[in-house]
Amino acid sequence: MKIYNKLVRDKIPEIIAGDNGKTCVTRIMGDVEYLEALNAKLQEELKEYLESGDIEELADLEEVLRAILDMKEISYEKFENIRRKKVEKRGTFKKKIFLVSISEKDEK
């Protein structure tokens, strides 16, 4: 037996059951635990992307992001509006600007 104790996608138990008669034990989390698990999954998927550079990991990040938005009862459209407002106010990252330092007016 291998212990996982982590959030998995909805179809994973079915996939495991179809794998030569394997069985798995699952349970349904409460809202607080679920949000904590989503946050942990967000970190896990980010780590996997940073290590591999694989675009599929970005898709996993997007899926976790959407689940967090659902949990917080924020539509993807509302989230997109928040993102757009930030872009209007602060810009994007397309110009590849790297901030080295800031000096105060009186500094030399």
Side-chain angles (χ1 to χ4, degrees):
M1 176 179 5
K2 191 168 181 182
I3 306 295
Y4 287 90
N5 288 326
K6 69 177 195 173
L7 176 66
V8 295
R9 289 177 177 263
D10 297 344
K11 293 184 179 181
I12 295 300
E14 295 170 31
I15 293 167
I16 292 168
D19 187 11
N20 293 325
K22 289 182 181 177
T23 59
C24 61
V25 176
T26 62
R27 65 181 174 79
I28 304 302
M29 292 180 277
D31 289 347
V32 172
E33 183 185 19
Y34 177 52
L35 187 55
E36 289 172 358
L38 284 168
N39 289 334
K41 184 59 103 174
L42 190 65
Q43 290 178 319
E44 174 190 332
E45 298 300 346
L46 176 59
K47 182 177 183 255
E48 289 175 6
Y49 169 72
L50 291 173
E51 289 173 355
S52 70
D54 188 345
I55 296 303
E56 280 198 28
E57 299 302 339
L58 287 179
D60 290 341
L61 276 166
E62 174 83 4
E63 197 61 39
V64 174
L65 172 68
R66 287 176 181 250
I68 291 170
L69 291 172
D70 285 346
M71 189 65 202
K72 293 181 176 263
E73 298 180 351
I74 297 171
S75 71
Y76 196 77
E77 292 76 23
K78 183 175 180 179
F79 177 73
E80 181 61 16
N81 286 336
I82 293 167
R83 187 196 67 79
R84 277 194 210 118
K85 285 178 185 174
K86 274 198 111 163
V87 166
E88 288 172 16
K89 185 176 180 179
R90 303 191 75 143
T92 65
F93 296 98
K94 292 178 182 178
K95 292 182 180 178
K96 305 176 188 175
I97 298 169
F98 185 81
L99 180 63
V100 175
S101 66
I102 297 175
S103 297
E104 293 295 325
K105 203 174 181 182
D106 298 348
E107 284 183 289
K108 289 186 180 182

